[in-house]
Amino acid sequence: MLKGIYTPLSGAIAQERALEVVSNNLANINTNGFKGERVTFTLLEPEPNKHYKTPLPPANYKVPFEKLTNARANEMSYVGVDSVERDLQQGPVIKTDNPTDLMIEGKGYLSVMTPEGVRYTRDGSLTLNAEGVLTNKFGSPVVGEKGNIFLRGSSFQVNGRGEVYQGDQMVDRLMLYDFKDNKALEKVGGNMYFYGGPEEGRNVVENPQVRQGQLEGSNVNAIKNITALIMTHRSYEAYQKAVSNFDSMMEKSSNSIGEIRA
Amino acid sequence: MMRALLTAATGMEAQQLTVDTIANNLANVNTTGFKRSRANFHDLLYQTVKAPGQSTTVGTVVPSGIQIGAGSEVSSVEKMFKEGSVIQTGKETDLMIQGEGFFRVQRDDGRVAYTRDGSFKWDSGGRLVTADGFPVVPEIAIPPGVAHNKFNIGLDGSVTVRVGEEVQEIGQIQLANFINPAGLDSLGRNLYGATVASGDPAVGAANQDGVGSIAQRQLESSNVNVIEEMVNMITGQRAYELNSKVIQTGDQMLQQTNNIR
């Protein structure tokens, strides 16, 4: 068997993963606060199999075989997905004039208290529940300095610093968090992130920039993603060509070399 | 089978709902008191192949993991209660709420519904009713023998009629307000029903406690903005198209795989 056939196979599998990421980006091209992602690839070098013997040099050969070439027969390189990198660029501004729509300009995440614990989000399309608590679209309360933010109806103002006013009275201030390592944020769906990193990696944003009546759109770039889609498609095709070439080589060795002719 | 196909399908489904919502908005561009809806989306669950922060076999920590998303989904179709513009009609029974609040009307099943559509009429019994004949709550009835055009509604909703030289108050139109109007249930016929999400209505006279005032001889037009809807339709359609391209690509890739041998 030609083991080389597994190398393009690993490439094709990696491209399939890339396609999954591109399709998730494009599926969320109109999702508020969504951050697009990109796959990075890496070289996977499996450790040589110790049980696989290095072929012995011919009997009268003086130079050790290992010195001639450092490539052992079982040493094969593969490609794999290294990581899925998140593009943290600000999404486009969507003006809605809806008082419960908030946009965070620059850094920071809103914190919401879900039944599973605190989650972070950039999606500011909020709403009020029947008790007048400011919540996200799943009914999880948005965390302010004093806990839940209680409002009497949807006529309220949020100023640039994230302070929530009703009339002249300041109700509460939105708590925006920023993370030293944004990669430690795990996407959990529902436009929310989970932070499982160390406490010192999480800071309260000192000078938040909040805009009321606006939303942050998805930062997915259609052109970039369609280009990525084409590249993924064509590399997948190339890998498959390589697989079928290996296949015809193996066919040759099994059928043509050993052919018995009368 | 390829997950990308299903992911793209969720995207198409979501965008289809955007277009559905826009279609309803545009169909109601001339409906009195209509409030436009907006579809909101969220991303679906992620499959964590490699969690960020997890330690590797070589003793290092994964700097950024591998999480593969499963697409998008509609999280809500939300009514936007921005006030529509004023239409001067000159008709006595046309009322508009300037500010927050809803008229209360009684449906044929006896339950109270709420509406922003103030194009009322008199029925044969002299009661103030909606175009569908649902009476205003509490009932406003014009006394027999009084001309129908001789009545006046104040900013606070007090209804007065002139009987000869004398001004007589015959009732008070009450408005209901909700903490979360977006949580109201749309019943059709411009009516809304209270739900657990909207909270209980706070009923009172108009022009106080943050409730809007009543303007007579005016109607509130639909708050649908045609340009906004058209732009949203374009983005919705293009997003739909992009997702269909992913399906196409996924399909072709599978076809190639099938053609290896």
Side-chain angles (χ1 to χ4, degrees):
Chain A
M1 277 286 279
L2 292 171
K3 286 197 168 168
I5 198 166
Y6 295 113
T7 304
L9 174 66
S10 71
I13 293 171
Q15 291 303 329
E16 212 170 285
R17 275 281 146 83
L19 179 74
E20 281 162 14
V21 169
V22 169
S23 66
N24 187 47
N25 286 345
L26 289 175
N28 285 295
I29 199 162
N30 279 340
T31 302
N32 295 329
F34 183 81
K35 300 290 170 200
E37 290 162 327
R38 187 173 67 90
V39 165
T40 59
F41 300 106
T42 183
L43 181 71
L44 299 177
E45 275 180 291
E47 284 186 32
N49 187 348
K50 290 183 188 76
H51 304 288
Y52 196 100
K53 285 198 185 89
T54 307
L56 288 172
N60 57 352
Y61 208 76
K62 300 292 178 226
V63 188
F65 197 69
E66 292 86 12
K67 282 199 176 168
L68 285 175
T69 167
N70 57 5
R72 287 215 288 272
N74 59 341
E75 212 174 60
M76 205 67 68
S77 294
Y78 301 108
V79 65
V81 175
D82 184 30
S83 66
V84 178
E85 304 257 351
R86 203 171 300 142
D87 175 11
L88 293 173
Q89 258 183 30
Q90 178 93 19
V93 179
I94 303 170
K95 204 170 176 309
T96 63
D97 290 330
N98 191 26
T100 51
D101 286 342
L102 303 178
M103 186 187 86
I104 304 162
E105 210 173 290
K107 59 182 182 181
Y109 292 84
L110 286 170
S111 43
V112 289
M113 186 56 86
T114 68
E116 291 87 33
V118 178
R119 297 288 182 270
Y120 303 93
T121 183
R122 293 275 302 182
D123 174 14
S125 67
L126 305 174
T127 184
L128 294 174
N129 71 9
E131 281 88 49
V133 178
L134 194 66
T135 68
N136 73 357
K137 285 285 182 291
F138 297 93
S140 304
V142 175
V143 180
E145 265 176 353
K146 303 172 195 159
N148 290 358
I149 302 171
F150 285 95
L151 295 164
R152 302 183 309 273
S154 55
S155 57
F156 64 94
Q157 293 80 40
V158 180
N159 68 12
R161 293 184 298 281
E163 290 159 356
V164 185
Y165 281 87
Q166 197 143 38
D168 297 332
Q169 194 197 350
M170 184 171 142
V171 182
D172 209 333
R173 188 165 167 264
L174 293 167
M175 289 289 270
L176 295 187
Y177 291 99
D178 185 33
F179 302 90
K180 266 206 194 99
D181 182 17
N182 274 302
K183 288 172 182 168
L185 286 173
E186 225 176 290
K187 283 191 173 182
V188 291
N191 294 342
M192 288 181 277
Y193 296 91
F194 166 72
Y195 179 69
E199 190 53 42
E200 61 267 24
R202 189 187 78 158
N203 312 307
V204 175
V205 180
E206 291 300 329
N207 295 306
Q209 300 284 315
V210 182
R211 303 275 171 267
Q212 194 180 15
Q214 296 177 6
L215 283 176
E216 181 184 358
S218 167
N219 75 346
V220 173
N221 182 325
I223 301 168
K224 267 189 197 163
N225 277 281
I226 279 292
T227 316
L229 187 71
I230 296 169
M231 278 165 61
T232 305
H233 184 189
R234 294 304 171 196
S235 354
Y236 190 80
E237 205 173 350
Y239 287 129
Q240 283 174 336
K241 281 268 152 41
V243 170
S244 63
N245 279 346
F246 273 110
D247 180 35
S248 30
M249 279 162 76
M250 284 190 275
E251 190 195 3
K252 273 264 181 319
S253 42
S254 56
N255 294 338
S256 303
I257 296 176
E259 198 179 6
I260 301 162
R261 289 186 191 173
Chain B
M1 246 350 218
M2 217 175 260
R3 186 169 22 190
L5 293 173
L6 299 171
T7 307
T10 65
M12 286 178 84
E13 211 175 304
Q15 296 312 322
Q16 192 183 322
L17 199 119
T18 314
V19 177
D20 289 350
T21 311
I22 294 167
N24 186 45
N25 288 347
L26 285 175
N28 286 295
V29 73
N30 279 336
T31 305
T32 313
F34 180 80
K35 300 294 169 197
R36 65 178 285 258
S37 299
R38 181 182 79 189
N40 291 305
F41 305 104
H42 69 88
D43 50 355
L44 287 170
L45 289 176
Y46 282 76
Q47 185 199 356
T48 305
V49 180
K50 197 163 79 176
Q54 181 187 310
S55 40
T56 63
T57 46
V58 246
T60 55
V61 167
V62 177
S64 65
I66 304 173
Q67 286 194 290
I68 309 275
S72 66
E73 191 188 31
V74 178
S75 52
S76 67
V77 177
E78 184 190 9
K79 281 267 174 207
M80 312 298 277
F81 280 90
K82 204 177 131 186
E83 201 170 304
S85 48
V86 181
I87 308 170
Q88 293 284 350
T89 62
K91 189 165 171 269
E92 279 78 16
T93 49
D94 283 346
L95 307 179
M96 173 181 170
I97 303 169
Q98 287 178 331
E100 291 177 23
F102 295 86
F103 294 112
R104 299 163 73 223
V105 296
Q106 191 173 27
R107 291 197 295 163
D108 37 10
D109 61 359
R111 282 188 295 166
V112 173
Y114 304 89
T115 182
R116 292 276 303 183
D117 176 8
S119 59
F120 295 114
K121 286 153 187 67
W122 297 112
D123 73 354
S124 56
R127 294 183 305 174
L128 197 62
V129 295
T130 67
D132 292 304
F134 302 147
V136 172
V137 179
E139 201 174 274
I140 308 287
I142 203 153
V146 177
H148 279 173
N149 56 2
K150 287 236 173 96
F151 86 109
N152 188 54
I153 294 175
L155 289 176
D156 61 348
S158 57
V159 187
T160 51
V161 287
R162 267 179 56 175
V163 186
E165 293 298 302
E166 196 187 343
V167 175
Q168 194 182 334
E169 186 166 335
I170 59 165
Q172 167 98 30
I173 291 179
Q174 288 184 344
L175 297 183
N177 200 11
F178 294 90
I179 281 184
N180 177 25
L184 287 171
D185 184 16
S186 299
L187 304 169
R189 300 177 182 277
N190 284 343
L191 300 179
Y192 300 99
T195 65
V196 178
S198 67
D200 290 330
V203 181
N207 209 12
Q208 61 184 42
D209 296 334
V211 178
S213 58
I214 293 181
Q216 202 182 0
R217 298 182 184 82
Q218 290 173 10
L219 283 177
E220 181 183 4
S221 73
S222 163
N223 73 348
V224 175
N225 181 336
V226 178
I227 301 168
E228 200 179 336
E229 299 300 329
M230 290 310 275
V231 170
N232 290 343
M233 190 147 80
I234 292 170
T235 55
Q237 192 203 340
R238 292 302 174 196
Y240 189 81
E241 209 173 343
L242 285 168
N243 281 292
S244 74
K245 281 273 181 295
V246 176
I247 294 189
Q248 227 169 46
T249 308
D251 178 37
Q252 280 171 17
M253 282 164 69
L254 283 176
Q255 193 190 358
Q256 284 154 15
T257 312
N258 284 335
N259 289 339
I260 287 184
R261 272 207 78 131

